[in-house]
Amino acid sequence: MITLYTIGFTKKSAEEFFELLRHNNISKLVDIRISNSSQLAGFAKGKDLEYFVKQICGANYQHITDFAPTKDLLAKWQKKEVDWQEYTNVYLSLLKSRSIIRKYGIQHFDKACFLCSEETPEFCHRRLLVEYLKEHSTEEVEIVHLK
C-alpha cells in the first residue's frame, strides 16, 4: 500500500508543523506551490524548509511546480472569478496535459507529504492532486491529510 500525506502550513506554528511530519514518519516533503520563496511564508520558504525538513525530520524536500496550478488559475480563484468546480476542472486538465502520471508516477511518493499553504485540504489543489494520483494508480493508495 502507498500512503500519500498532505499538509498546509497556514495557521501552524513551526513546532506543530514539523512535529506532524516527524510523528507521521514522512520520507519526503513535496512542495507543490507555484512559488516557494515568498517572505510571507515564514519558516516555509523553500531554502529554509529544505534545511528544516532534513535536520528536524530526516526527510528530503522536493519542489515540483508541475503539481501547482497556473498563476492565472490561482488568481482567478482568489478573486472569486471561478468557482471551485471550475477551478477543479481546469486544474485536473492541467495535470493531464502535463502528463504527471507518466512523468512522476506514484511509486516515488510513498510516505511523501504534499505541501501547500492552505490551512485545510477541502479547497486546495493538494487534495485534488493526491486524489488524482490515487485514481490513476494500479496500487492501493491511502490518503492522509495532516491537520
Side-chain angles (χ1 to χ4, degrees), residues 2 20 34-35 37 53 56 60 65 80 92-93 113 115 119 131 136:
I2 291 176
L20 280 168
I34 297 168
S35 174
S37 58
V53 167
I56 297 170
N60 294 316
T65 56
K80 299 184 181 353
L92 294 176
S93 292
C113 187
L115 166 79
E119 179 183 5
E131 289 174 357
H136 291 87

Side-chain angles (χ1 to χ4, degrees), residues 101-113:
I101 299 300
R102 183 183 52 75
K103 284 169 75 174
Y104 300 99
I106 196 170
Q107 300 76 15
H108 306 292
F109 299 112
D110 187 28
K111 295 188 175 37
C113 187

Side-chain angles (χ1 to χ4, degrees), residues 86-99 132:
E86 188 174 353
Y87 178 95
T88 298
N89 292 341
V90 173
Y91 178 72
L92 294 176
S93 292
L94 277 172
L95 296 180
K96 185 176 180 181
S97 70
R98 291 172 179 169
S99 302
Y132 184 85

Side-chain angles (χ1 to χ4, degrees), residues 8-130:
F9 65 84
T10 299
K11 296 189 180 178
K12 286 182 181 64
S13 67
E15 179 181 7
E16 181 183 4
F17 179 85
F18 292 109
E19 285 301 315
L20 280 168
L21 297 179
R22 193 163 56 176
H23 175 74
N24 287 280
N25 299 311
I26 299 303
S27 63
K28 181 189 319 185
L29 185 66
V30 183
D31 192 335
I32 62 171
R33 297 173 288 174
I34 297 168
S35 174
N36 64 355
S37 58
S38 169
Q39 292 299 324
L40 300 175
F43 69 84
K45 285 189 298 193
K47 288 293 181 193
D48 293 337
L49 193 54
E50 182 175 5
Y51 174 80
F52 293 144
V53 167
K54 185 58 129 183
Q55 296 302 313
I56 297 170
C57 305
N60 294 316
Y61 171 87
Q62 190 174 13
H63 184 217
I64 303 178
T65 56
D66 268 355
F67 295 158
T70 62
K71 288 181 181 181
D72 180 58
L73 177 60
L74 185 59
K76 285 180 178 178
W77 167 246
Q78 291 169 336
K79 293 175 187 174
K80 299 184 181 353
E81 293 174 6
V82 296
D83 65 14
W84 182 247
Q85 188 58 56
E86 188 174 353
Y87 178 95
T88 298
N89 292 341
V90 173
Y91 178 72
L92 294 176
S93 292
L94 277 172
L95 296 180
K96 185 176 180 181
S97 70
R98 291 172 179 169
S99 302
I100 68 155
I101 299 300
R102 183 183 52 75
K103 284 169 75 174
Y104 300 99
I106 196 170
Q107 300 76 15
H108 306 292
F109 299 112
D110 187 28
K111 295 188 175 37
C113 187
F114 295 87
L115 166 79
C116 195
S117 59
E118 294 294 327
E119 179 183 5
T120 63
E122 289 79 18
F123 295 103
C124 183
H125 70 285
R126 71 180 185 265
R127 178 182 61 81
L128 300 175
L129 172 63
V130 295

